[in-house]
């Protein structure tokens, strides 16, 4: 049955959970009555709402629909793009703060746990996506012709919601425009679902008049669909047209009607395609040479043989033959597949022209890929290897590899870059292979160059693994054996399964020691590594001022200024704050952000980054006994009765009894308010300076007041006459209800174990209590009041290595199973370098990823260019040289998502550095390559002539 309540008689309603039904509290003529309606009664069959949904109902509906969508992922599902600006307003309205995001796979009921629902927010207006669409975009209202602004970041600029969620939100709020996007399935061996936020944009050039049109299609659309769309747009029959891949205004290949996808055809974002008619009147200057003759056009698709090395002449058996002199500066024998990347015989390096100076065209946010590739193709051992005939080592049968296709594509690209002089290459074929085998890098979003490098090194290794059948090897424990024996055994076992040029050149070995904190069991293993990810030991700290409130009413609130790591977590702030305020072992602190006189959010996640707390915010901490945690939390708001508006910082305490009465609530409020009462004793020991609270009651006064409160609690009355009217309120502090002293509140029946009350202050109460302590809460950081921030100091590469090798306990989510205890333990872990490779890559961990926030560290790291001596870090004494020289750098500029990657690389033979910024290549002074943008550092071993033979023999023995 649907209940309809006239808007003239309904003053307020409130949802209360009761066995799956909604209870609406209705005020009519001053009397309260309760009517029960079914859950389904909120929406009529025609979609019109008979009653507006409450924020809690909207939140539950959206959560359920999202969860249902997650369980039914399939290709073709519709998702809708919504502006984050509007969506955040809706989240605040339904009671979701920054710590909880329905689109971020957070629990829908965590709100009740942290109690942050005390925030009050207005109902948002119509959905407004105007800030994320291109200016001038217009359509039929269904989003068919509306395009998103480029470079938007999911979570920051927009969110994606399933179709069901969009229909509900649009039904409640209207607005728009609608921006539907389809879910696609990507990858060959490792498939993943992804929403195609930015479809492929193609510029159609009509050869008849050279006019241009824009076509938007999914990159998973077929060439047949492309032909259909072009013909419909131009009003031409399909059998009378031909379409060319017209990348860089050059005819690369004629496209044919087929089920081949646009992505498989290597069509890129914003590239041109050429339309020609085949009715005998299609002659166009675009398709002619300078003499007016038709150009000789051939299909330029690469050979499909899995063993074809692109760039070499294809033999009749499908394999590729190679010249023995394919070194920098030489020209290749075939230009077919090279032309597909913008390179042909006419563009090959002229005689005497240096190789290795070709740039890579940006195919749409591919600077992350370009800089990683430039660093790899300037790695001397890899250049030497791929410029030779490496067909014999291609492993097409490795289930962990890419059937050799990744190695073939990389080798092809490397040869082009070393043979094209300064002609920029468009790595379309390579990007296509990357999208097939690593769908996380498909599309046109920005990615992490280190993640790509890790994939490339691992993928190249598997494609070039000389081991065709990997033997099963059972690993043995060290059992007290000498490190040299265990290390040699582990490396031998590793080489029995992994043997490639990548292992020969890029892989080293480190020693990992785990110690059980209970039984002292020691476990030692020796594991391979391909690069070292080094943390940045931050010398940057920030001062944070937090005001501590005492939940037992023993003292006035006090501000404490502590110093914490800028990139630390809330647990670090709690630790520093606990030390500063003398927190006892049986006490606990709870952090909260106060905004507009309400608690905006509770900071109860230990690993929430402190970077999420801004300097102008007001952070408070509530101090409790640990035994009180888990009881009913009582939040006390303050309201000026005359103005009917909130003021000051809410107070928080706990009701420890399982059943509390109205009198108990009054007593608890009186207890917390007692330090604020104006007394001669309090006045004598309280002061302020520059707006900062200095101290609370003295010890004698505090004990006396606390004792009086405790005695009053035992008697069931307050220690003072609570003259301030006290009312119950809701989670939005909008409705207020009086209650009696004998009213009982059972803890088990209180939703979320959270009660909210409001104190109605008048001028009379201002004479009794000093409310300034509630209002004058200092900001987290304010210039002039806190200490000046320390100047950002440079840190050295060696200090990063020291931080990487430091002994530390495992995290609670990374426990080690102790074979002696037969339980998982939080063991102590220590890493040591045992053997270093010819090429060593250092990854500076500039990006920190918290649960809700990503941050970049721009600290300058001082790294040596020459003579990096790592001898002191290597435990094995194998006679190797551990002196290294820098030869390449991957740089990242800007922030997350919208940043840019470039590379510095050194031509070894020329002994000169160059800057590779996508297609632009320029010389650079060695003194200018050290910047705070350095992200990946590439070093090669330097050997002295006297140690070469001995070193090579020792290395050969150590890895045998």
């Amino acid at each position: 049955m649907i209940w309809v309540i006239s808007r003239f008689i309904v003053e307020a309603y409130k949802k209360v959970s009761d066995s799956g039904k909604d209870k609406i509290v209705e005020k009519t003529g001053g009397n309260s009555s309760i009517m029960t309606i079914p859950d389904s009664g909120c929406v009529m069959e025609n979609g019109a709402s008979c009653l507006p949904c409450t924020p809690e109902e909207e939140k539950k509906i959206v959560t359920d629909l999202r969860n249902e969508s997650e369980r039914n992922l399939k290709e073709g599902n519709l998702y809708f793009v919504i502006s984050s600006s509007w969506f955040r307003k809706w989240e605040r309205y339904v009671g979701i703060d920054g710590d909880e995001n329905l689109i971020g796979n957070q629990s829908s009921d965590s709100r009740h746990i942290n109690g942050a629902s005390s925030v009050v927010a207005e109902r948002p207006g119509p959905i407004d996506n105007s800030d994320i669409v291109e200016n001038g975009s217009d359509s039929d209202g269904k989003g068919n012709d509306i395009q998103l602004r480029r470079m938007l970041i999911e979570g920051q600029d927009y969110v994606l919601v399933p179709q069901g969620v969009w229909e509900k939100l649009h039904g409640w709020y209207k607005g728009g425009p609608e921006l539907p996007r389809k879910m696609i399935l990507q990858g060959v061996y490792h498939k993943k679902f992804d929403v195609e936020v930015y479809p492929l944009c193609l510029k159609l050039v009509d050869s008849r008049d050279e006019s241009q049109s824009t076509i938007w299609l999914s990159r998973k659309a077929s060439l047949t669909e492309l032909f259909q769309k072009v013909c419909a747009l131009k009003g031409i029959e399909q059998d009378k047209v031909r379409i060319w891949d017209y990348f860089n205004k050059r005819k690369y290949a004629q496209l044919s009607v087929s089920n081949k996808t646009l992505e498989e055809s290597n069509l890129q974002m914003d590239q041109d395609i050429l339309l020609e008619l085949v009715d005998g009147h299609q002659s166009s200057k675009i398709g002619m040479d300078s003499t007016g003759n038709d150009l000789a056009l051939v299909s330029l698709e690469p050979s499909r043989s899995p063993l074809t090395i692109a760039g070499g002449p294809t033999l009749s058996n499908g394999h590729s033959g190679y010249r023995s002199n394919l070194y920098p500066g030489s020209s290749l024998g075939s230009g077919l597949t090279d032309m597909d990347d913008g390179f042909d015989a006419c563009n090959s390096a002229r005689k005497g022209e240096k190789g290795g100076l070709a740039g890579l065209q940006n195919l749409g946010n591919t600077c992350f890929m370009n800089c990683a590739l430039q660093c790899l193709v300037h790695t001397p051992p890899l250049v030497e290897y791929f410029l030779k005939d490496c067909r014999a080592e291609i492993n097409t049968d490795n289930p962990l590899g890419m059937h050799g296709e990744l190695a073939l594509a990389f080798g092809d690209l490397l040869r082009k870059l070393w043979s094209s002089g300064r002609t920029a290459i468009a790595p379309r074929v390579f990007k296509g292979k990357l999208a097939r085998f690593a769908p996380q890098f498909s599309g046109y979003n920005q990615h992490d160059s280190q993640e790509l490098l890790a994939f490339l090194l691992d993928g190249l290794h598997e494609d070039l693994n000389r081991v065709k059948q990997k033997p099963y090897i059972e690993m043995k424990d060290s059992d007290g054996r000498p490190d040299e024996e265990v290390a040699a055994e582990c490396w031998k076992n590793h080489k029995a399964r992994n043997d490639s040029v990548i292992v020969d050149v890029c892989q080293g070995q480190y020693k990992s020691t785990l110690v059980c904190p209970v039984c002292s069991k020691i476990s030692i293993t020796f594991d391979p590594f391909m690069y070292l990810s080094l943390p940045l030991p931050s010398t940057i700290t920030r001062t944070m001022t937090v005001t501590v409130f005492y939940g037992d009413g023993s003292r006035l609130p006090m501000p404490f200024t502590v110093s914490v790591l800028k990139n630390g977590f809330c647990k670090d702030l709690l630790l520093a704050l606990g030390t500063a305020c003398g927190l006892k072992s049986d006490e606990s602190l709870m952090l909260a952000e106060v905004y507009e006189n309400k608690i905006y959010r509770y900071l109860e996640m230990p690993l929430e980054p402190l970077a999420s707390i801004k300097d102008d915010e007001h952070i408070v901490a509530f101090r409790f006994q640990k035994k009180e945690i888990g009881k009913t939390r009582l939040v006390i708001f303050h309201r000026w009765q005359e103005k009917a508006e909130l003021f000051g910082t809410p107070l928080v305490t706990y009701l420890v009894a399982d059943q509390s009465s109205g009198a108990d609530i009054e007593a608890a409020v009186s207890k917390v308010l007692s330090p604020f009462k104006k007394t001669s004793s309090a006045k004598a020991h309280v002061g302020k300076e520059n707006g900062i609270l200095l101290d609370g009651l003295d010890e004698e006064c505090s004990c006396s007041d606390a004792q009086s409160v405790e005695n009053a609690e035992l008697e069931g009355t307050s220690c003072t006459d609570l003259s301030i009217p006290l009312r119950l309120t809701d989670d939005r502090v909008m409705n207020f209800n009086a209650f009696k002293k004998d009213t009982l509140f059972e803890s088990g029946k209180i939703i979320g174990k959270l009660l909210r009350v409001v104190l109605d202050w008048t001028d009379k109460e201002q004479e009794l209590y000093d409310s300034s302590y509630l209002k004058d809460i200092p900001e987290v950081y304010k210039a002039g009041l806190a200490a000046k921030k320390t100047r950002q100091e440079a840190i050295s590469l060696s200090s990063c290595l020291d931080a990487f090798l430091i002994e530390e306990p495992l995290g609670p989510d990374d426990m080690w199973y102790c074979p002696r205890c037969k339980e998982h333990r939080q063991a102590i872990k220590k890493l040591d370098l045992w053997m270093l490779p010819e090429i060593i890559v250092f990854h500076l961990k500039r990006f920190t990823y918290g649960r809700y926030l990503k941050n970049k560290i721009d600290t300058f790291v001082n790294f040596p260019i020459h003579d990096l001596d790592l001898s002191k870090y290597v435990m094995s004494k194998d006679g190797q040289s551990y002196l290294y020289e820098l030869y390449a750098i991957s740089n990242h500029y800007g922030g997350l998502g919208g940043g840019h990657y470039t590379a510095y690389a050194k031509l070894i033979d020329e002994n000169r550095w160059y800057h590779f910024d996508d297609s632009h290549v320029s010389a650079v002074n060695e003194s200018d390559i050290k910047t705070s943008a350095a992200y990946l550092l590439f070093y090669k071993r330097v050997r002295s002539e006297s140690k070469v033979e001995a070193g090579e023999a020792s290395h050969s023995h150590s890895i045998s």
Side-chain angles (χ1 to χ4, degrees):
M1 179 178 181
I2 307 297
W3 288 89
V4 181
I5 306 176
S6 170
R7 63 184 177 89
F8 295 106
I9 63 172
V10 177
E11 295 178 18
Y13 67 92
K14 178 181 179 182
K15 177 187 175 185
V16 181
S17 177
D18 182 24
S19 303
K21 296 183 178 181
D22 292 337
K23 286 186 178 179
I24 304 299
V25 179
E26 178 192 17
K27 290 185 178 181
T28 54
N31 297 320
S32 296
S33 61
I34 296 180
M35 60 178 66
T36 303
I37 64 174
D39 285 341
S40 60
C42 186
V43 180
M44 292 183 176
E45 292 181 0
N46 62 2
S49 298
C50 63
L51 281 177
C53 290
T54 64
E56 292 84 356
E57 286 172 331
E58 288 189 16
K59 176 181 175 181
K60 184 179 187 305
I61 290 171
V62 169
T63 301
D64 292 343
L65 288 172
R66 180 190 62 83
N67 291 337
E68 181 182 358
S69 175
E70 291 290 328
R71 293 190 296 266
N72 296 282
L73 293 179
K74 65 176 181 290
E75 196 169 13
N77 283 358
L78 270 184
Y79 281 73
F80 286 76
V81 183
I82 299 180
S83 167
S84 287
S85 177
W86 184 90
F87 196 76
R88 280 194 291 267
K89 294 177 183 177
W90 177 82
E91 285 184 318
R92 288 194 291 269
Y93 169 66
V94 300
I96 303 172
D97 62 13
D99 287 353
E100 182 191 356
N101 190 321
L102 288 178
I103 309 302
N105 297 326
Q106 297 303 313
S107 171
S108 61
D109 58 1
S110 62
R111 186 68 175 187
H112 294 299
I113 296 175
N114 62 30
S117 54
S118 57
V119 65
V120 178
E122 295 182 357
R123 190 174 192 270
I127 298 172
D128 183 5
N129 287 332
S130 61
D131 61 327
I132 60 173
V133 298
E134 292 283 7
N135 291 333
S137 291
D138 197 8
S139 76
D140 53 7
K142 297 295 184 181
N144 294 331
D145 299 318
I146 297 180
Q147 301 305 327
L148 290 175
R149 286 171 37 217
R150 297 292 180 93
M151 303 294 289
L152 297 180
I153 303 173
E154 184 178 358
Q156 178 176 315
D157 301 303
Y158 69 89
V159 297
L160 292 169
V161 300
Q163 182 176 3
V165 172
W166 166 260
E167 290 173 350
K168 283 294 182 184
L169 291 175
H170 191 261
W172 293 328
Y173 296 95
K174 306 304 179 186
E178 293 186 359
L179 299 169
R181 295 295 185 267
K182 284 187 178 180
M183 175 170 280
I184 59 177
L185 186 61
Q186 302 189 95
V188 177
Y189 303 110
H190 306 287
K191 296 183 181 295
K192 61 168 285 194
F193 287 108
D194 193 16
V195 177
E196 190 176 26
V197 176
Y198 289 99
L200 187 62
C201 175
L202 299 174
K203 305 299 177 61
L204 176 66
V205 180
D206 193 328
S207 63
R208 296 171 295 180
D209 56 6
E210 298 188 27
S211 62
Q212 288 194 11
S213 306
T214 302
I215 292 178
W216 298 84
L217 275 173
S218 168
R219 58 181 181 270
K220 294 296 183 181
S222 66
L223 290 176
T224 298
E225 294 175 81
L226 174 63
F227 272 79
Q228 291 171 347
K229 189 150 191 173
V230 170
C231 292
L233 178 66
K234 292 296 183 177
I236 308 173
E237 295 180 12
Q238 188 168 302
D239 58 353
K240 293 184 179 181
V241 303
R242 61 185 177 193
I243 301 177
W244 292 88
D245 177 352
Y246 199 49
F247 185 78
N248 282 349
K249 301 293 185 182
R250 293 179 54 195
K251 289 184 176 180
Y252 281 97
Q254 183 177 333
L255 305 176
S256 58
V257 177
S258 69
N259 290 327
K260 187 177 181 181
T261 67
L262 306 185
E263 185 175 54
E264 292 169 342
S265 304
N266 295 323
L267 297 181
Q268 303 298 318
M269 179 70 82
D270 296 325
Q271 82 155 72
D272 294 318
I273 55 175
L274 178 65
L275 169 67
E276 290 183 340
L277 297 185
V278 292
D279 58 0
H281 304 287
Q282 79 279 14
S283 64
S284 165
K285 293 180 181 179
I286 294 177
M288 297 182 177
D289 62 16
S290 59
T291 65
N293 297 321
D294 288 344
L295 294 172
L297 299 170
V298 294
S299 175
L300 304 178
E301 287 298 303
S303 169
R304 293 300 174 192
S305 169
L307 288 180
T308 297
I309 308 286
T314 303
L315 305 181
S316 59
N317 62 359
H319 292 185
S320 299
Y322 275 89
R323 301 177 182 180
S324 59
N325 62 345
L326 286 181
Y327 284 94
S330 67
S331 58
L332 301 179
S334 171
L336 295 183
T337 54
D338 293 329
M339 287 179 65
D340 189 61
D341 276 344
F343 167 81
D344 57 24
C346 350
N347 290 327
S348 59
R350 299 180 180 88
K351 188 174 182 179
E353 189 173 10
K354 300 180 181 66
L357 292 180
L360 289 166
Q361 291 187 27
N362 194 313
L363 303 178
N365 276 340
T366 56
C367 59
F368 77 97
M369 178 182 76
N370 292 346
C371 81
L373 286 173
Q374 290 289 8
C375 291
L376 283 181
V377 301
H378 286 87
T379 298
L382 296 185
V383 175
E384 182 180 355
Y385 179 85
F386 281 100
L387 287 180
K388 294 179 180 178
D389 185 356
C390 58
R391 288 176 301 162
E393 295 197 340
I394 297 293
N395 189 336
T396 61
D397 301 320
N398 187 354
L400 299 179
M402 272 63 79
H403 295 293
E405 292 187 47
L406 183 67
L408 294 174
F410 177 79
D412 177 32
L413 184 59
L414 181 144
R415 284 185 291 277
K416 294 172 187 177
L417 289 170
W418 278 95
S419 305
S420 66
R422 287 180 176 267
T423 302
I425 301 297
R428 296 199 299 162
V429 173
F430 182 84
K431 185 177 185 297
K433 298 291 184 184
L434 191 65
R436 287 186 64 216
F437 297 110
Q440 65 269 31
F441 299 116
S442 63
Y444 306 97
N445 293 328
Q446 184 69 277
H447 296 281
D448 190 328
S449 67
Q450 185 273 330
E451 293 178 0
L452 174 67
L453 177 71
F455 169 80
L456 288 179
L457 290 176
D458 186 62
L460 290 174
H461 157 64
E462 296 295 354
D463 271 5
L464 298 170
N465 199 344
R466 304 174 186 117
V467 179
K468 308 301 181 182
Q469 296 291 332
K470 294 188 177 184
Y472 172 76
I473 299 176
E474 187 174 349
M475 303 303 294
K476 300 178 183 178
D477 201 352
S478 57
D479 288 331
R481 291 181 291 162
D483 285 348
E484 291 76 10
E485 178 184 338
V486 180
E489 179 184 90
C490 289
W491 188 254
K492 180 180 178 181
N493 292 341
H494 176 65
K495 286 293 295 280
R497 295 172 55 85
N498 303 276
D499 186 13
S500 70
V501 64
I502 302 300
V503 175
D504 296 341
V505 172
C506 301
Q507 287 195 359
Q509 189 181 37
Y510 65 79
K511 174 185 176 183
S512 176
T513 305
L514 292 172
V515 181
C516 178
V518 177
C519 69
S520 300
K521 164 70 177 176
I522 299 176
S523 174
I524 297 176
T525 58
F526 290 83
D527 301 305
F529 68 85
M530 203 132 46
Y531 53 88
L532 296 176
S533 292
L534 307 183
L536 272 61
S538 178
T539 58
I540 308 166
T541 59
R542 65 182 292 195
T543 57
M544 301 183 70
T545 299
V546 178
T547 303
V548 177
F549 285 80
Y550 294 79
D552 60 359
S554 61
R555 297 175 70 87
L556 280 167
M558 290 186 62
F560 292 90
T561 299
V562 296
S563 181
V564 292
L565 288 175
K566 183 179 180 181
N567 298 294
F569 302 93
C570 279
K571 64 177 183 179
D572 303 315
L573 176 58
L574 285 170
L575 182 62
L577 198 59
T579 302
C581 72
L583 194 70
K584 300 176 182 177
S585 60
D586 60 346
E587 292 180 318
S588 178
L589 291 174
M590 179 176 65
L591 295 172
E593 178 190 347
V594 176
Y595 178 70
E596 293 185 349
N597 307 311
K598 294 175 286 291
I599 295 178
Y600 178 69
R601 58 172 175 158
Y602 290 93
L603 303 169
E604 294 185 306
M605 304 303 296
L607 294 181
E608 176 164 359
L610 292 179
S612 67
I613 303 175
K614 307 305 179 186
D615 286 346
D616 59 352
E617 293 177 356
H618 296 82
I619 302 298
V620 299
F622 298 103
R623 183 171 179 172
F624 303 111
Q625 293 286 323
K626 288 182 178 179
K627 63 183 180 180
E628 296 178 355
I629 307 299
K631 302 294 185 179
T632 299
R633 185 182 297 175
L634 181 65
V635 183
I636 307 162
F637 298 93
H638 311 278
R639 187 175 69 145
W640 283 117
Q641 196 175 58
E642 294 180 0
K643 298 181 180 180
E645 61 182 28
L646 297 178
F647 78 94
T649 303
L651 301 175
V652 179
T653 188
Y654 279 95
L655 301 173
V656 296
D658 293 333
Q659 187 180 71
S660 300
S661 64
D664 295 328
I665 293 177
E666 288 191 2
V669 173
S670 296
K671 179 179 177 182
V672 176
L673 278 180
S674 60
F676 300 91
K677 191 170 184 180
K678 295 179 179 178
T679 63
S680 57
S681 176
K683 292 176 182 177
H685 298 280
V686 180
K688 296 184 182 180
E689 184 177 303
N690 296 328
I692 296 293
L693 309 177
L694 295 180
D695 201 355
L697 299 173
D698 65 355
E699 185 176 352
E700 180 180 354
C701 179
S702 300
C703 294
S704 175
D705 283 354
Q707 185 64 41
S708 64
V709 169
E710 183 178 350
N711 294 337
E713 231 183 8
L714 293 175
E715 297 172 5
T717 60
S718 61
C719 63
T720 61
D721 292 330
L722 186 61
S723 60
I724 310 176
L726 191 63
R727 301 178 185 276
L728 286 175
T729 186
D730 54 15
D731 57 349
R732 302 179 66 225
V733 200
M734 296 292 290
N735 300 306
F736 310 98
N737 297 293
F739 61 91
K740 299 179 180 179
K741 289 188 176 183
D742 58 356
T743 302
L744 295 180
F745 299 88
E746 294 185 20
S747 176
K749 293 185 179 181
I750 298 175
I751 299 177
K753 291 190 174 181
L754 181 63
L755 277 178
R756 305 170 186 87
V757 295
V758 170
L759 286 168
D760 276 336
W761 291 70
T762 64
D763 292 337
K764 177 182 177 182
E765 279 69 44
Q766 282 283 23
E767 298 176 0
L768 298 175
Y769 296 91
D770 190 349
S771 62
S772 63
Y773 292 97
L774 299 171
K775 294 182 290 186
D776 300 335
I777 302 300
E779 296 177 353
V780 167
Y781 174 84
K782 192 169 185 178
L785 294 181
K788 291 184 179 180
K789 291 184 178 179
T790 57
R791 183 180 178 183
Q792 181 168 318
E793 302 173 9
I795 57 178
S796 66
L797 182 62
S798 60
S799 65
C800 296
L801 262 172
D802 292 335
F804 174 74
L805 300 173
I806 196 171
E807 183 180 272
E808 61 181 357
L810 295 176
D813 297 327
D814 191 26
M815 305 273 271
W816 169 66
Y817 182 79
C818 176
R820 184 180 295 171
C821 297
K822 306 296 183 184
E823 289 186 26
H824 285 88
R825 301 294 190 192
Q826 197 168 353
I828 305 298
K829 184 176 183 178
K830 175 73 170 72
L831 294 179
D832 294 288
L833 299 181
W834 185 263
M835 180 179 66
L836 299 184
E838 292 295 307
I839 300 295
I840 187 167
V841 181
F842 293 111
H843 164 222
L844 303 179
K845 297 173 69 174
R846 293 194 177 277
F847 301 109
T848 58
Y849 299 90
R851 187 171 183 180
Y852 312 107
L853 189 72
K854 298 177 182 179
N855 185 47
K856 183 187 175 186
I857 306 172
D858 288 314
T859 305
F860 174 73
V861 177
N862 190 12
F863 50 88
I865 299 175
H866 304 282
D867 301 327
L868 172 63
D869 190 358
L870 299 176
S871 302
K872 67 176 183 178
Y873 295 103
V874 183
M875 294 188 66
S876 66
K877 307 302 178 184
D878 54 6
Q880 290 271 13
S881 166
Y882 290 112
L883 198 65
Y884 288 82
E885 180 178 283
L886 187 72
Y887 71 88
I889 306 172
S890 170
N891 302 299
H892 181 270
Y893 298 91
L896 291 168
H900 182 60
Y901 286 96
T902 68
Y904 291 124
K906 182 179 182 180
L907 291 190
I908 304 299
D909 294 338
E910 189 182 344
N911 194 31
R912 189 171 187 182
W913 284 88
Y914 288 87
H915 183 218
F916 295 83
D917 186 356
D918 289 331
S919 58
H920 181 71
V921 180
S922 59
V924 63
N925 293 325
E926 185 176 272
S927 58
D928 296 330
I929 67 172
K930 295 171 69 170
T931 70
S932 60
Y935 185 44
L936 300 173
L937 305 174
F938 293 74
Y939 285 88
K940 68 180 186 68
R941 192 196 304 271
V942 177
R943 295 174 180 269
S944 62
E945 294 297 329
S946 60
K947 290 187 176 181
V948 169
E949 294 184 3
E952 288 180 348
S954 175
H955 182 66
S956 176
H957 174 72
S958 66
I959 65 176
S960 60

